[in-house]
Amino acid sequence: MRLLLLALLALPGLAQATPRMSLTAGTPCAACHVNPSGGEGRSELGFGAMHRVGVVTWDQLGLQAFHDVNSNTWLDGAVGFGVDLRMQGARLGRPELVDTDTGTKTEVPDYTWFPMQAQPYLTVKPAAGLTLYGTFLAGPGTLRDGKICDPVFQGMSCYGAQAIYEPGGVAPTVRAGVFQPSIGVRNDDHTLLIRGDAAARRVPIIAPGYAEAGAEVAWQPVQWVRLEAGGFHTGNLDKALNDGNETAELWPVAYQARVTFQPLLELGGGPPPAEADEFGDDFGAPSEPAHPFVINTWLGASAFGSGDFLMINAFLGLGIHEGLSLLSELSLSQRTIEYETLNGVVGLSYAPWAWIAASARAERARTTTATAEITTVQYVAGLELFVVPGLEVRPEYRLVETDDYRFGQATLQVHLFY
């Protein structure tokens, strides 16, 4: 368990894949995921968007029948299934200075492979507008010594289950169960510092797989505006913040609110000029309208708190249909007047084709306590390469700088999904 814990905290996962795709496509995360806040199980649209994306596709491998599958649902869309499996190769831990007969030298951890995620999803739609959704997040000790639930981080939930009711039109969507509140931008990278704590890197404030019992209402009066608000139990939040060290007094219930604006900006374009050319005719004049330059945007903020604890996130994203996207987020949290975090990330991605994308990001996390100020900085650059549909490999290089050490290394992640 300790090995996997270090891996998830010190090494890169899938960096900003969902936000990148959403920004360049100009659609909200909920368009491709069953979960309204994004992430986890894929909808039919999300399945179809990636089922034929790869350097080599299934029909080119002689698997035409599988290539022609158009949905991840059965029984006329009433039942859906999905899964995410990830593993990674990297050097776990931190470099150490050791004394030798000739002086001191730096020793780095050995390269090793370890599992990062094993998570199935099940969707059932028993009636119009009603969706039942469930997921199980396996841990390193799951199914060993009689264990069913084995969370890696304090605050994680081994399962999620929610009922989602969408009446249609502009009426609000309501969901209730055990799920992650809508907080900032939901990334798929387990190692982003935006929700972490530089003073306790092994205990992120909002852990991957964090979920609480609660309910949330979402209202989208127009396509580019979304409002969400909810109330949640604080059992897992208390474990994340106060495990072994009481730093925040929480209420039994937490509040959550998020507002997101996604306007589409069009620059230029318009009908062809009506005037004739210098010879008095229209020979050579453009016959088709000029296409505008389209920019998809994200702009929003969220608040999540209970008692002494409050986390405020603000985010801004820009994307164009040619595959370029920029995403930034800032997070400020306070447990007491003597314990604050201020984290930020800026990431840039470019996807010249659907099956490959290059990305880079810079992150900074700062924690201020009554006795110290701790800072961690990360720089990550890598590729997302979809070898065949449903199989992604991600080579990355990461440089981590803390108050105690500086360590750079190359890693490789393998992601299987359906």
Side-chain angles (χ1 to χ4, degrees):
M1 178 174 177
R2 183 171 181 269
L3 187 67
L4 183 59
L5 180 62
L6 287 172
L8 292 175
L9 285 171
L11 302 170
L14 182 61
Q16 304 185 50
T18 300
R20 170 183 72 78
M21 294 175 182
S22 180
L23 277 171
T24 55
T27 57
C29 296
C32 291
H33 294 272
V34 178
N35 189 351
S37 61
E40 301 182 2
R42 296 157 189 86
S43 64
E44 285 191 83
L45 178 61
F47 173 84
M50 296 302 294
H51 182 61
R52 297 181 180 88
V53 173
V55 179
V56 179
T57 53
W58 295 119
D59 58 330
Q60 294 172 326
L61 295 173
L63 300 174
Q64 186 67 46
F66 189 58
H67 178 82
D68 291 339
V69 173
N70 292 317
S71 174
N72 58 344
T73 65
W74 295 269
L75 302 178
D76 292 328
V79 179
F81 174 77
V83 66
D84 280 302
L85 302 172
R86 304 178 198 268
M87 63 184 303
Q88 191 171 56
R91 300 182 186 277
L92 304 183
R94 54 182 288 177
E96 299 288 349
L97 284 175
V98 297
D99 294 325
T100 66
D101 294 338
T102 58
T104 61
K105 71 174 184 177
T106 301
E107 285 190 353
V108 297
D110 294 333
Y111 200 87
T112 186
W113 282 91
F114 52 89
M116 290 191 71
Q117 182 184 16
Q119 188 172 8
Y121 318 101
L122 180 66
T123 303
V124 178
K125 297 183 177 182
L130 179 62
T131 300
L132 305 179
Y133 172 77
T135 181
F136 179 77
L137 184 59
T142 299
L143 302 182
R144 295 180 183 176
D145 301 324
K147 289 184 179 179
I148 300 298
C149 183
D150 184 34
V152 176
F153 301 101
Q154 292 296 331
M156 284 183 67
S157 176
C158 294
Y159 70 95
Q162 55 183 299
I164 308 164
Y165 180 60
E166 301 174 90
V170 297
T173 295
V174 180
R175 58 175 176 154
V178 178
F179 56 92
Q180 185 172 135
S182 298
I183 305 170
V185 176
R186 183 163 183 176
N187 289 280
D188 214 16
D189 187 341
H190 297 168
T191 68
L192 279 167
L193 295 176
I194 196 69
R195 299 182 178 186
D197 184 353
R201 295 182 64 206
R202 297 187 183 185
V203 188
I205 301 171
I206 303 298
Y210 168 72
E212 296 276 19
E216 188 175 281
V217 177
W219 183 45
Q220 195 160 347
V222 293
Q223 184 177 7
W224 55 277
V225 177
R226 185 176 179 87
L227 305 171
E228 293 148 313
F232 298 85
H233 184 54
T234 55
N236 284 331
L237 182 63
D238 182 67
K239 292 178 182 178
L241 296 177
N242 298 322
D243 181 51
N245 183 22
E246 189 76 19
T247 60
E249 184 176 345
L250 303 177
W251 301 327
V253 175
Y255 56 87
Q256 168 275 330
R258 184 173 71 172
V259 56
T260 305
F261 302 96
Q262 291 186 279
L264 185 148
L265 306 179
E266 295 185 355
L267 305 177
E275 66 272 10
D277 59 26
E278 60 182 309
F279 297 102
D281 56 36
D282 60 358
F283 181 76
S287 58
E288 296 196 3
H291 295 290
F293 184 77
V294 178
I295 302 177
N296 305 311
T297 68
W298 271 7
L299 175 65
S302 69
F304 179 56
S306 176
D308 293 334
F309 173 73
L310 174 62
M311 173 181 281
I312 297 176
N313 290 56
F315 48 92
L316 171 66
L318 302 173
I320 60 177
H321 291 296
E322 284 75 8
L324 183 66
S325 65
L326 172 69
L327 180 65
S328 61
E329 187 173 6
L330 188 68
S331 177
L332 172 66
S333 78
Q334 184 179 63
R335 304 183 194 185
T336 69
I337 60 173
E338 297 183 341
Y339 202 114
E340 296 181 349
T341 67
L342 179 60
N343 305 336
V345 57
V346 177
L348 182 68
S349 297
Y350 177 61
W353 301 282
W355 50 267
I356 189 170
S359 62
R361 74 177 188 265
E363 303 175 73
R364 185 176 186 269
R366 186 190 72 195
T367 297
T368 303
T369 69
T371 59
E373 183 176 296
I374 303 96
T375 302
T376 297
V377 178
Q378 295 188 133
Y379 303 97
V380 182
L383 295 175
E384 296 174 49
L385 178 63
F386 296 89
V387 182
V388 296
L391 171 60
E392 178 200 9
V393 295
R394 174 181 289 274
E396 287 187 313
Y397 185 82
R398 167 176 299 231
L399 177 63
V400 178
E401 296 181 357
T402 72
D403 296 330
D404 299 323
Y405 66 90
R406 187 180 189 215
F407 185 32
Q409 65 164 312
T411 66
L412 179 66
Q413 182 181 222
V414 178
H415 177 206
L416 294 170
F417 61 92
Y418 180 82

